[in-house]
Amino acid sequence: MKGIILKRISCLPSSMALPLDTLEKAMNQKLQLLLKDGRHIDGKLLGFDEYMNLVIDDVEETKGETKRRLGKIILRGSNVVSISVV
């Protein structure tokens, strides 16, 4: 009886970047984030972990017409809908 040889096939196109790799390249750069509750966060990425929890500095939060300065925050990754590097 012959053995079965399985070949691993990647589902991702070779040009697609992984989220943690993208965050690594975005260290110390300005980000714009959209949160699940509709708030927008602007700030500089200082750090992150494997769960995409983020440490962001010089944060400005926008909700509707209201803006406020928050300084340095830790943001739980599960609240983030999208991240843009500015």
Side-chain angles (χ1 to χ4, degrees):
M1 183 172 174
K2 292 186 177 182
I4 297 173
I5 299 174
L6 298 176
K7 182 178 177 184
R8 184 176 178 183
I9 300 173
S10 176
C11 304
L12 299 174
S14 61
S15 63
M16 183 177 279
L18 297 174
L20 294 179
D21 294 338
T22 302
L23 285 176
E24 183 67 38
K25 292 176 186 173
M27 287 293 295
N28 296 311
Q29 293 187 35
K30 289 285 193 179
L31 299 179
Q32 291 180 336
L33 298 99
L34 173 62
L35 305 184
K36 284 183 179 179
D37 64 1
R39 287 182 290 167
H40 292 267
I41 300 290
D42 295 321
K44 183 172 81 170
L45 180 64
L46 295 182
F48 63 93
D49 66 9
E50 66 271 17
Y51 304 105
M52 291 184 59
N53 298 318
L54 307 171
V55 179
I56 307 171
D57 198 14
D58 299 325
V59 173
E60 182 175 271
E61 173 194 68
T62 306
K63 186 168 187 176
E65 297 296 319
T66 306
K67 288 187 179 188
R68 64 182 185 153
R69 307 269 318 148
L70 299 178
K72 189 181 295 184
I73 65 168
I74 298 173
L75 183 62
R76 187 177 173 109
S78 61
N79 291 317
V80 179
V81 173
S82 70
I83 301 173
S84 301
V85 180
V86 182

